[in-house]
Amino acid sequence: QKRIVKLSMMVQTMDMAITAATYILGTFRNDSCPVSNPTTSFSVNGAVLSVEVAADKISRSCGLANRDRLPMGHGMLFIYEKERFLEFWMKETRIPLALAYIGNDRKIREILHMDPDTGQHIYRSHEPVQYALETNPDWFSTNDISVGDRVNFSWPDHPTIN
């Protein structure tokens, strides 16, 4: 009986792994990117961006992949349900970007610069954050925005996020 239980558990684990792999390789294939996202206005110290909002797994996975340019004054805001350590990469992203990690208090905690690559470089937050903003590489410096500045955007504090 113990062998049957162990075998059943192994089959369930393998089934979960196959399901996860299928989901990742199918649903999250970057050739289906970009996806259509809602937009909102984002501002810091009077500087304004029009941002696409990535608040679900598919839109966050796609990010700004497979785009040849990002118009000035635009970006993408990644929203998570709660603060956690975040990791970003540049696989399939053709344009250089700046990335700001933002806490649930809506203060910028880090600003990083990312260059296109094949996804080998991982950009990790140094502390738990709830939001991330990607925009053109010089937007933060051009607008004199730095760590500690508070950001403003319209989005419910507790939206349905998956």
Side-chain angles (χ1 to χ4, degrees), residues 16-150:
M16 288 172 41
I18 291 169
T19 301
T22 303
Y23 183 69
I24 290 168
L25 294 173
T27 306
F28 283 56
R29 286 179 45 190
N30 277 348
D31 61 355
S32 62
C33 300
V35 296
S36 179
N37 297 307
T39 61
T40 190
S41 180
F42 181 99
S43 66
V44 187
N45 299 342
V48 179
L49 283 175
S50 174
V51 295
E52 292 180 49
V53 177
D56 61 57
K57 290 176 185 173
I58 293 172
S59 61
R60 288 192 302 254
S61 175
C62 282
L64 293 171
N66 294 327
R67 299 187 192 201
D68 293 318
R69 65 188 220 51
L70 180 63
M72 294 305 294
H74 288 77
M76 181 171 281
L77 179 64
F78 297 80
I79 299 179
Y80 296 85
E81 189 173 328
K82 60 184 179 179
E83 285 194 329
R84 61 196 205 189
F85 287 95
L86 296 181
E87 294 182 342
F88 278 67
W89 65 349
M90 294 290 283
K91 185 176 182 184
E92 304 296 328
T93 305
R94 302 174 184 148
I95 53 177
L97 296 168
L99 170 69
Y101 284 123
I102 303 163
N104 64 1
D105 59 359
R106 298 195 179 189
K107 285 188 179 180
I108 296 174
R109 307 265 178 91
E110 295 176 62
I111 298 174
L112 307 171
H113 294 277
M114 306 185 300
D115 291 313
D117 65 30
T118 58
Q120 72 268 22
H121 189 170
I122 305 297
Y123 299 88
R124 293 178 177 90
S125 63
H126 289 105
E127 60 184 284
V129 294
Q130 187 171 0
Y131 310 100
L133 172 71
E134 290 181 340
T135 189
N136 286 297
D138 60 348
W139 189 78
F140 294 103
S141 59
T142 298
N143 292 290
D144 198 29
I145 296 167
S146 58
V147 171
D149 289 345
R150 185 176 299 275

